[in-house]
Amino acid sequence: MTDTGKSTDPKILIHASDPAPMLARLKKRHPSLQATGCSTYQNLPDKLQSFAPEIYYGIRFAGSAGFPRGALLGEFAPKWISVGGSGVDHLQDWDPKQIQVTNSAGVAASMMAEFILGGFLHFSLDIAGLQRDRGTATWQGGRQMVPLSGKTLLIVGLGQTGGAIAERAKAFGMHTIGTRARPRPTPHIDEVFSADQLRELWPRADFIAVCVPLLASTRGLIDAAAFNQMRDGVVLADVSRGGVIESAALVASLESGKLGGAVLDVFETEPLPSAHKLWQTPNTLVSPHCSSVFEGWEMASFDMFCDNVERYLADEPLRNLVDPKLGY
């Protein structure tokens, strides 16, 4: 652990739309620690100054726009920032010699994997077509299902979410290939490559799952050139961050029929503006960034934080410590 001069009884600030349940859970697990809550973005700067927490746990409950990053990383910055979700792009960049940042990667990996596979099945089984036929009482004789078995799935980003996707994809009999910063044998992945080999992987995939963090190296990663290299009819699912896929290139690929379908959970602007073309673009599933949202996820994330508090107090390495250069 980086030596940041931590105390034996650190004060903790919980930043959430309703911090009360989390404060109660923390009190039960760590009754000796002093903690308080903050339920708005606007009040956070004053709370940081007046309470002077050593530890901060927060969820982006009002989106990234207006998030008080400057205050959180400023003069009254805590020594440890624990992010309730997996993405940390709203904090970059920070000095790891002064501030430790952890995230909750893995808490929602299973749910996000189910979301991805559900989206793939939506298109492979032509659920939209079946619904249209039902609406018009049309019996389409000769309709055929498309199996996932034997198809190639490319997973861009083999973190915890990518690993969960791969495990479920293998249950469907898919051939799995994927990329990671430091390629190494990975469970449920048939072939592992480095990110700079993506150009040769796009043409191989029948399905693509995108789950990389938003970094300078991944912004605009999937652009018009990448779409042009993909197979006709490929189905793409994105649970990464808005900005990894170039929106205009995505819309153009869908409108031309190059893409067979897109399962979209993240967007450059959220909420997605009502006038955005993606609302009317064919073969598109649009979700309100909810692939990681399930009953109990907030407390599951907070329990991970409480476990990390035990590590912090014992001067043990924190789980899910994020490297600001890597973004994970």
Side-chain angles (χ1 to χ4, degrees), residues 23-283:
L23 287 167
R25 181 71 60 90
L26 183 66
K27 185 69 174 177
K28 183 176 182 180
R29 294 194 56 175
H30 300 285
S32 65
L33 297 180
Q34 184 180 353
T36 191
C38 179
S39 60
T40 71
Y41 283 7
Q42 293 79 9
N43 293 341
L44 184 66
D46 290 340
K47 184 69 74 169
L48 288 168
Q49 183 174 359
S50 62
F51 186 64
E54 185 171 325
I55 300 172
Y56 163 97
Y57 174 88
I59 295 173
R60 273 183 289 181
F61 52 89
S64 296
F67 184 84
R69 174 189 177 278
L72 192 56
L73 300 180
E75 180 181 0
F76 303 102
K79 292 180 172 62
W80 168 26
I81 295 174
S82 179
V83 177
S86 59
V88 297
D89 45 285
H90 61 301
L91 297 178
Q92 293 173 322
D93 294 314
W94 67 89
D95 183 354
K97 295 180 180 179
Q98 302 297 322
I99 300 172
Q100 297 181 105
V101 174
T102 60
N103 66 10
S104 300
V107 165
S110 293
M111 186 70 259
M112 295 170 77
E114 290 184 26
F115 177 88
I116 292 283
L117 269 296
F120 289 164
L121 288 168
H122 173 88
F123 287 105
S124 67
L125 301 179
D126 190 23
I127 299 300
L130 290 171
Q131 288 290 89
R132 285 193 300 269
D133 290 348
R134 178 180 179 275
T136 58
T138 300
W139 182 275
Q140 286 278 18
R143 178 185 285 276
Q144 292 187 344
M145 299 289 99
V146 177
L148 294 183
S149 179
K151 299 297 189 297
T152 295
L153 168 61
L154 166 59
I155 302 174
V156 184
L158 289 173
Q160 297 191 63
T161 299
I165 295 168
E167 181 178 6
R168 286 151 182 78
K170 293 307 292 183
F172 281 95
M174 302 185 80
H175 180 76
T176 54
I177 61 178
T179 61
R180 62 188 315 156
R182 293 179 291 275
R184 62 179 183 273
T186 302
H188 313 295
I189 298 292
D190 296 308
E191 305 175 62
V192 182
F193 302 87
S194 63
D196 58 13
Q197 294 177 282
L198 270 173
R199 181 176 297 181
E200 60 195 72
L201 300 181
W202 298 130
R204 296 184 55 187
D206 301 295
F207 295 85
I208 299 173
V210 185
C211 39
V212 291
L214 180 62
L215 307 167
S217 59
T218 61
R219 184 176 292 278
L221 176 69
I222 305 180
D223 55 11
F227 283 118
N228 288 337
Q229 292 163 355
M230 295 177 189
R231 289 181 180 177
D232 291 346
V234 66
V235 175
L236 177 146
D238 184 16
V239 294
S240 60
R241 278 292 182 269
V244 172
I245 296 179
E246 287 191 358
S247 181
L250 171 65
V251 170
S253 295
L254 284 162
E255 290 181 335
S256 70
K258 177 72 174 179
L259 280 185
V263 185
L264 307 173
D265 187 51
V266 294
F267 309 91
E268 292 180 78
T269 300
E270 296 183 3
L272 186 66
S274 59
H276 199 287
K277 292 189 70 173
L278 279 171
W279 287 113
Q280 287 77 42
T281 303
N283 296 327

